Amino acid sequence: MIILDTSAVIALAQGHKTLNLLAGNMAHTPGDRLSVPALCLMQAEADEENISRGVLALSSVVVDSLDTIAAVTVGTMIRNGYGGPDTCHALYCALPRPEFTGMSILLTGNEDAYPPGVVTVDIDSPGMLGF
């Protein structure tokens, strides 16, 4: 699963070349989606007006909702100092899940915001798409 945090959501909406290429490629691959944690989408919209319109218009983007279990877990992460609501929701989405057996990759513009052990890829790294 590929997860976009707040910085990646904003970059995608602003036309980040590599992220847009990735979103386009994933739109043509059945079952592949870019997952956006709801609190990352909320923070991106709070930071920049109408940013969500461009992101939600992409067919390869799905929003990972904040259900009851996620809300409790994210709240605990915030209390324990793992970051703000959006960072912690992105961390929660990167945790192993029964419906997804592979390893999650968190795309971000700020790798330092996440603890060791979380697979993060800087959106501006030259190898983001394997080149």
Side-chain angles (χ1 to χ4, degrees), residues 4 7 9 38 41 44 61-63 66 73 76 85-86 89 98 104 112 117:
L4 303 179
S7 60
V9 168
L41 184 63
V61 171
V62 295
V63 177
L66 189 70
T73 306
T76 302
D86 58 330
H89 195 195
S104 295
D112 294 333

Side-chain angles (χ1 to χ4, degrees), residues 2-86:
I2 297 177
I3 303 160
L4 303 179
D5 77 350
T6 303
S7 60
V9 168
I10 292 170
L12 177 62
Q14 292 176 339
H16 189 278
K17 184 178 178 179
T18 308
L19 287 176
N20 276 278
L21 181 61
L22 178 64
N25 288 342
M26 292 187 91
H28 298 294
T29 308
D32 282 347
R33 298 289 173 256
L34 296 171
S35 181
V36 175
L39 294 181
C40 291
L41 184 63
M42 176 215 57
Q43 187 61 54
E45 184 64 28
D47 291 348
E48 300 213 20
E49 185 178 3
N50 295 323
I51 205 93
S52 60
R53 287 183 185 183
V55 173
L56 295 176
L58 299 169
S59 63
S60 58
V61 171
V62 295
V63 177
D64 198 308
S65 65
L66 189 70
D67 62 17
T68 306
I69 300 300
V72 171
T73 306
V74 168
T76 302
M77 291 173 152
I78 294 167
R79 185 183 65 238
N80 291 335
Y82 285 97
D86 58 330

